[in-house]
Amino acid sequence: MRAGTRSQHLLPPQDNRAAMGYQRQDPVIPPQRDLDDRETLVSEHEYKEKTCQSAALFNVVNSIIGSGIIDFSLILLIKGGALSGTDTYQSLVNKTFGFPGYILLSVLQFLYPFIAMISYNIIAGDTLSKVFQRIPGVDPENVFIGRHFIIGLSTVTFTLPLSLYRNIAKLGKVSLISTGLTTLILGIVMARAISLGPHIPKTEDAWVFAKPNAIQAVGVMSFAFICHHNSFLVYSSLEEPTVAKWSRLIHMSIVISVFICIFFATCGYLTFTGFTQGDLFENYCRNDDLVTFGRFCYGVTVILTYPMECFVTREVIANVFFGGNLSSVFHIVVTVMVITVATLVSLLIDCLGIVLELNGVLCATPLIFIIPSACYLKLSEEPRTHSDKIMSYVMLPIGAAVMVFGFVMAITNPQDCTHGQEMFYCFPDNFSLTNTSESHIQQTTQLSILNISIFQ
């Protein structure tokens, strides 16, 4: 499950110097070689509003919950910023690799959150439509509870107004609410692992994890793990930002996020094994009222975290085409255009798995593994035996391998998608086949396809 994402700190046009892109010439801070704890990447006069450390903590946690672990490259990214005297991901790559690198990063930084916005719409539509279908007296075929109407309504009512904010500080409380709801959802998933898990037949080789297509999972996890494209934005929102304070914040966020992610993944797979869908809530039966409440919480969480992806896409557009500054009119126009296109695409796509895979291997992997490592290796004058350089030398080829092989396997071996279909074990006739032999389980799976086609 994924419940959370990215944000940025935007200021009024006259003070929006922190979002400058390629056209920016003067760095905010002088380049430095030694990363002292007292270093800061942002001058106090550049930000009139600062979020407290706890608010930034929840923004980062919200950015990686369900989206997983922020790894070593996050700190490496900030160190690269200090070495190059830059305070944005784009300006770091521009300083290191010039205009071609800047353009490549800008494309990746736009595509990743934009595709994430599409995936959030898919999740919200799938999840909340099942919630409204459980309302007594409501016709399941009613157009006003369909996924298309829900996506449109949630966009106009919630995600668009929240996305029009210019300051990440205003989203701190939203991230806190999202984090709390995610913890509640975790409790529901754990409860159903105990009560429902024993009744779901286990797939063949359910506990064999070293399979050839495991690299596809790395792509999905990369999609989940990433917070890099907005790390400078969250970093700059700290009061008196320093490398040491950022490191403490990241470690705290990792502890919280790893705990939640491990339990989500473990409980979900223990319950459904090989039947597990890209969207975990697609596995649960529609008549489960406890899960229906969980779906509602999940839908709200996704809606609340969607705007922070829009913040990043808007920043990229502002940097590339407007020199880092958006007037009030263009701020609204760009936001509306980005959200409109994302909404239209999400109405045409209903399978979440392939969206996560392709976005993970093509966008998230280079943003996490390749680019931060390459920047640090070029900027740092530390000896090759330094721990940071050793890790960079390891991360870079791993990222390249995941990107290439992950893309090939995602195309040649795509995930199955049962969007909108009730799983076979939700039909009473199939429960009698629980805990049968593997051959019977295969028959059950085949029969379930017939059952699903009949019920749909």
Side-chain angles (χ1 to χ4, degrees):
M1 291 182 64
R2 179 182 178 80
T5 55
R6 336 298 170 215
S7 52
Q8 82 169 359
H9 188 124
L10 284 178
L11 296 172
Q14 63 271 24
D15 290 326
N16 195 8
R17 289 168 290 181
M20 298 297 287
Y22 177 73
Q23 296 179 2
R24 175 186 186 141
Q25 300 296 329
D26 298 325
V28 172
I29 60 172
Q32 297 182 16
R33 296 180 181 177
D34 298 321
L35 298 178
D36 187 85
D37 288 347
R38 295 185 299 272
E39 290 179 320
T40 63
L41 294 183
V42 183
S43 302
E44 291 184 2
H45 70 276
E46 291 191 284
Y47 291 95
K48 296 180 179 180
E49 296 183 23
K50 296 287 186 176
T51 57
C52 64
Q53 186 164 351
S54 59
L57 168 65
F58 284 114
N59 275 326
V60 176
V61 171
N62 189 37
S63 187
I64 62 175
I65 277 190
S67 36
I69 304 168
I70 296 183
D71 57 20
F72 166 80
S73 64
L74 263 177
I75 297 177
L76 201 67
L77 200 60
I78 298 300
K79 288 183 177 181
L83 288 169
S84 61
T86 56
D87 61 356
T88 69
Y89 202 164
Q90 290 169 291
S91 57
L92 166 62
V93 176
N94 174 40
K95 188 72 173 287
T96 308
F97 295 105
F99 184 72
Y102 169 79
I103 292 299
L104 175 61
L105 178 73
S106 297
V107 171
L108 294 175
Q109 276 200 300
F110 176 84
L111 286 179
Y112 172 78
F114 181 76
I115 297 175
M117 291 165 63
I118 296 173
S119 70
Y120 290 162
N121 275 337
I122 295 174
I123 293 173
D126 291 345
T127 303
L128 294 179
S129 63
K130 295 180 177 62
V131 173
F132 296 138
Q133 287 173 5
R134 291 294 297 164
I135 299 176
V138 173
D139 182 4
E141 301 299 325
N142 192 319
V143 66
F144 295 109
I145 63 171
R147 63 182 300 272
H148 293 83
F149 181 80
I150 290 174
I151 290 174
L153 180 63
S154 63
T155 298
V156 173
T157 307
F158 297 103
T159 56
L160 178 58
L162 290 174
S163 297
L164 287 172
Y165 281 130
R166 302 178 70 99
N167 192 333
I168 186 179
K170 295 181 181 290
L171 296 178
K173 293 180 180 180
V174 172
S175 297
L176 174 59
I177 295 173
S178 178
T179 303
L181 289 176
T182 302
T183 306
L184 183 60
I185 297 168
L186 174 60
I188 295 174
V189 173
M190 292 173 63
R192 279 297 175 257
I194 298 173
S195 61
L196 182 61
H199 299 286
I200 306 297
K202 307 307 176 187
T203 55
E204 184 179 3
D205 297 332
W207 309 112
V208 177
F209 293 95
K211 295 182 179 181
N213 61 345
I215 195 169
Q216 291 177 260
V218 178
V220 176
M221 288 186 289
S222 297
F223 173 88
F225 294 171
I226 189 171
C227 179
H228 298 62
H229 61 306
N230 76 328
S231 58
F232 282 103
L233 301 173
V234 177
Y235 176 88
S236 65
S237 72
L238 289 170
E239 185 178 356
E240 298 180 358
T242 64
V243 173
K245 183 178 293 187
W246 174 253
S247 297
R248 289 193 299 268
L249 175 68
I250 291 303
H251 292 319
M252 292 171 63
S253 303
I254 287 175
V255 169
I256 298 172
S257 301
V258 167
F259 174 82
I260 294 177
C261 289
I262 287 177
F263 274 90
F264 265 130
T266 302
C267 293
Y269 191 79
L270 283 175
T271 307
F272 304 109
T273 59
F275 299 118
T276 306
Q277 300 294 302
D279 180 354
L280 182 59
F281 273 116
E282 286 289 292
N283 280 101
Y284 295 102
C285 303
R286 299 184 185 183
N287 61 355
D288 189 329
D289 290 333
L290 178 61
V291 173
T292 297
F293 176 68
R295 286 192 177 104
F296 175 77
C297 295
Y298 186 33
V300 173
T301 298
V302 169
I303 290 173
L304 292 179
T305 55
Y306 175 105
M308 289 189 285
E309 295 289 6
C310 184
F311 273 43
V312 181
T313 60
R314 186 174 58 218
E315 185 216 18
V316 174
I317 293 175
N319 288 344
V320 174
F321 298 104
F322 298 94
N325 294 310
L326 283 176
S327 65
S328 297
V329 173
F330 278 107
H331 173 84
I332 296 174
V333 171
V334 170
T335 302
V336 172
M337 289 181 60
V338 169
I339 291 180
T340 299
V341 175
T343 301
L344 292 176
V345 174
S346 63
L347 294 176
L348 300 175
I349 301 176
D350 60 8
C351 190
L352 185 63
I354 188 65
V355 175
L356 300 182
E357 281 190 16
L358 292 178
N359 201 17
V361 297
L362 295 180
C363 299
T365 297
L367 288 172
I368 294 175
F369 299 106
I370 299 175
I371 297 178
S373 300
C375 288
Y376 185 79
L377 289 174
K378 187 171 183 179
L379 293 170
S380 176
E381 296 183 359
E382 297 287 350
R384 293 186 178 182
T385 56
H386 191 274
S387 59
D388 288 348
K389 278 201 169 182
I390 293 175
M391 287 295 296
S392 298
Y393 282 123
V394 172
M395 287 169 52
L396 198 153
I398 289 177
V402 170
M403 185 176 178
V404 174
F405 292 106
F407 174 73
V408 173
M409 300 193 72
I411 297 299
T412 59
N413 187 30
Q415 291 187 19
D416 294 331
C417 184
T418 60
H419 163 75
Q421 297 176 340
E422 190 83 307
M423 299 298 289
F424 71 92
Y425 45 73
C426 295
F427 303 123
D429 292 343
N430 281 329
F431 273 105
S432 61
L433 298 175
T434 304
N435 297 326
T436 57
S437 65
E438 290 181 356
S439 61
H440 286 167
I441 291 173
Q442 293 174 352
Q443 291 179 344
T444 301
T445 306
Q446 294 171 353
L447 289 173
S448 69
I449 298 175
L450 178 60
N451 282 342
I452 291 173
S453 64
I454 293 175
F455 277 78
Q456 293 298 322

